[in-house]
């Protein structure tokens, strides 16, 4: 039953015993991770990874990961095509529709308010990419573009479905206490994992590669999300269960671990390969924040040119300068935008009329005149005034850029595809699969033992009368109908 419930197995009619089940589990775990990241994947790459995973699992020495094995693997897990790239990888519409239906039923049956339904998602953020295209001299064209790719952070975005409670951004950098932030972090707070920078509007933490991981996410969930969501309930005078929806990235802790922290807060994981289809934060908010950030950064660049010079501004650009711009971009999102991005997940009925009205499947759609569509990414461009100033700025002798308008427009319109979390290595995947197998075996053994004890205890009571047997069948019939 555990196998049948997994999304990758929903199309399977028969479960045959495989010679190397651990390898199969590890290979599909790796494949789903690649798809969720949006990385390119191909048949030969799957075969290559299968050979590596087989070696780490001490599998059969004669395993060749042949074309026949690949064909059967794709058939078992309903992999129609693996020659795909980008967001097209995340296209399991059936799983998306199924999860959407279950979520709507849960909200209605448990009378959960829309104000209490949240989504969080992380994304890589290249906050100094403008430096790559502006500080380069003619002789440095081959170097500058690569150098600044290291200047990235991971940002965690979270808001409720009403759009009236957006959690302050969590920013993950590489340094524990960056030099530019020392004056904002008291000495007694510098050893804390999470550092609240109220003046800059964000919470800061660090990780060696600036990735999200399970430790950081759990701290954020416990110390930032839960207190903020509960405080919002008190301010609005509402109550009820709080729901947080997440994708199944390996940077997120196990479900049971998060749900054990607070009985009033429940975490739900999206199925694999549906992030691009229904995850609210992926339907525009993150992309919009990046666009607004770039636009505001260009405004600051032009303003700084009148004071200290654009080249000086870019050379000295640091977290202290960028975090307020990032926070401003996050807060500039319209409340209606943060509502409408839930439409793919909750449908038209997710647009309730009153602030404290729970979702009702019978609720009529809001009048079309009252619906404000999500800001159109295609229509967000560099304002003409800024473009003219950039052309003037980039024609100066000490700040000359050829085809400056084209360079800046390309930078503005290009979006970095960075999911914000580091993929599991082959060793980590193997360890994860082995631990899961041990846990499953222990759970099955425990269930069987309980069933045997229960059966023995029942039989010890004596013979079963016809009326007891009939009552038992009626109870079982009712149980089957409910399931």
């Amino acid at each position: 039953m555990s196998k049948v419930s997994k999304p990758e197995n929903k199309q399977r009619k028969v479960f045959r015993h495989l010679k190397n089940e651990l390898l199969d589990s590890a290979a599909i775990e790796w494949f789903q991770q690649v798809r969720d990241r949006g990385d390119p994947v191909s048949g030969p790459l799957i075969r290559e990874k299968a050979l590596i995973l087989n070696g780490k699992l001490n599998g059969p020495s004669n395993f060749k990961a042949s074309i026949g094995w690949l064909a059967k693997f794709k058939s078992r897990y309903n992999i129609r095509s693996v020659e795909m790239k980008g967001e097209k990888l995340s296209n399991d519409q059936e799983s998306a529709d199924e999860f959407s239906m279950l979520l709507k039923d849960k909200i209605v049956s448990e009378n959960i308010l829309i104000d209490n339904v949240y989504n969080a998602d992380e994304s890589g953020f290249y906050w100094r990419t403008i430096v790559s295209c502006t500080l380069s001299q003619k002789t440095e064209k081959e170097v500058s573009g690569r150098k600044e790719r290291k200047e990235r952070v991971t940002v965690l975005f979270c808001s409720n479905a009403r759009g009236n409670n957006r959690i302050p951004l969590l920013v993950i950098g590489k340094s524990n206490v960056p030099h530019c932030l020392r004056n904002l972090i008291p000495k007694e707070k510098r050893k804390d994992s999470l550092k609240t920078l109220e003046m800059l509007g964000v919470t800061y933490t660090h990780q060696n590669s600036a990735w999200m991981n399970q430790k950081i996410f759990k701290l954020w969930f416990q110390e930032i999300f839960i207190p903020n969501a509960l405080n919002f309930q008190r301010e609005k005078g509402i109550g009820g269960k709080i729901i947080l929806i997440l994708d199944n990235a390996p940077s997120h802790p196990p479900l049971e671990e998060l749900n054990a922290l607070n009985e009033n807060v429940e975490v739900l994981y999206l199925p694999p390969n549906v992030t691009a289809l229904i995850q609210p934060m992926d339907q525009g908010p993150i992309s919009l924040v990046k666009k607004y950030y770039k636009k505001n950064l260009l405004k600051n660049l032009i303003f700084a040119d009148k004071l200290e010079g654009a080249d000086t501004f870019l050379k000295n650009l640091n977290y202290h300068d960028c975090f307020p711009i990032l926070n401003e971009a996050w807060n500039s999102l319209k409340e209606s935008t943060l509502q409408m991005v839930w439409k793919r997940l909750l449908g038209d009925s997710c647009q309730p009329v009153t602030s404290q009205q729970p979702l009702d499947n019978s609720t009529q759609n809001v009048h079309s005149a009252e619906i404000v569509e999500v800001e159109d990414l295609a229509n967000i461009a560099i304002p003409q005034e800024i473009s003219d100033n950039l052309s003037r700025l980039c024609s100066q002798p000490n700040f000359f850029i050829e085809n400056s308008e084209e360079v800046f427009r390309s930078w503005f319109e290009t979006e970095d595809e960075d999911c914000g979390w580091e993929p599991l290595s082959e060793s980590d995947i193997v360890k994860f699969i082995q631990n899961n197998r041990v846990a499953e075996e222990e759970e099955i053994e425990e269930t069987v033992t309980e069933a045997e004890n229960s059966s023995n205890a029942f039989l010890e009571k004596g013979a079963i009368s016809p009326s007891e047997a009939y009552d038992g069948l009626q109870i079982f019939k009712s149980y089957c109908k409910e399931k």
Side-chain angles (χ1 to χ4, degrees), residues 7-133:
E8 65 267 23
N9 292 327
K10 63 188 177 184
Q11 301 292 337
R12 295 178 67 176
K13 303 291 190 297
V14 177
F15 284 88
R16 293 186 176 89
H17 178 70
L18 300 174
K19 293 181 179 179
N20 196 343
E21 289 190 4
L22 284 179
L23 171 61
D24 226 51
S25 300
I28 192 61
E29 182 70 27
W30 170 83
F31 179 73
Q32 288 177 342
Q33 176 180 268
V34 171
R35 294 186 69 182
D36 284 337
R37 284 180 59 85
D39 295 338
V41 61
S42 64
L45 182 58
I46 293 178
R47 294 171 61 192
E48 180 184 340
K49 285 293 179 181
L51 284 171
I52 296 173
L53 292 169
N54 183 68
K56 291 186 176 294
L57 286 164
N58 297 320
S61 58
N62 60 348
F63 176 72
K64 303 298 182 183
S66 63
I67 294 178
W69 174 86
L70 176 63
K72 291 178 181 178
F73 177 78
K74 290 167 61 177
S75 176
R76 279 195 294 274
Y77 297 105
N78 197 33
I79 300 173
R80 297 177 184 175
S81 173
V82 292
E83 301 291 346
M84 303 177 291
K85 292 184 178 180
E87 293 295 341
K88 292 181 181 178
L89 290 171
S90 303
N91 60 354
D92 192 343
Q93 186 64 56
E94 188 176 344
S95 290
D97 293 341
E98 184 179 340
F99 180 84
S100 175
M101 187 187 309
L102 291 173
L103 178 62
K104 286 187 281 188
D105 289 343
K106 181 180 181 65
I107 290 175
V108 172
S109 62
E110 299 184 24
N111 199 33
I112 297 173
L113 302 179
I114 295 297
D115 303 69
N116 290 333
V117 182
Y118 292 79
N119 174 234
D121 190 29
E122 54 274 291
S123 177
F125 196 85
Y126 294 91
W127 59 279
R128 294 194 76 198
T129 50
I130 188 174
V131 183
S132 301
C133 63

Side-chain angles (χ1 to χ4, degrees), residues 167-221:
I167 309 298
L169 297 174
L170 173 70
V171 181
I172 306 171
K174 294 181 181 179
S175 174
N176 180 26
V177 183
H179 183 75
C180 61
L181 301 180
R182 285 184 176 274
N183 293 335
L184 300 180
I185 304 174
K187 290 184 178 180
E188 62 274 14
K189 296 288 186 179
R190 291 180 182 176
K191 292 184 178 180
D192 293 352
S193 297
L194 301 181
K195 304 166 182 66
T196 302
L197 307 175
E198 293 184 2
M199 288 183 61
L200 307 184
V202 303
T203 300
Y204 179 80
T205 189
H206 78 287
Q207 193 266 346
N208 292 339
S209 302
W211 293 108
M212 173 65 79
N213 59 30
Q214 292 191 7
K215 180 180 178 182
I216 292 175
F217 190 90
K218 186 176 179 180
L219 280 171
W220 171 84
F221 179 74

Side-chain angles (χ1 to χ4, degrees), residues 148-166:
E148 303 303 332
R149 297 290 292 178
K150 297 178 182 178
E151 300 293 346
R152 67 175 291 282
V153 293
T154 294
V155 183
L156 181 63
F157 302 84
C158 181
S159 170
N160 66 349
R162 175 73 59 190
N164 56 359
N165 186 28
R166 57 194 85 188

Side-chain angles (χ1 to χ4, degrees), residues 333-347:
L333 289 183
K334 296 177 182 177
E335 197 169 294
S336 57
T337 293
L338 293 173
Q339 291 177 10
M340 290 303 297
V341 295
W342 288 79
K343 187 173 182 178
R344 288 189 181 181
L345 184 57
L346 297 180

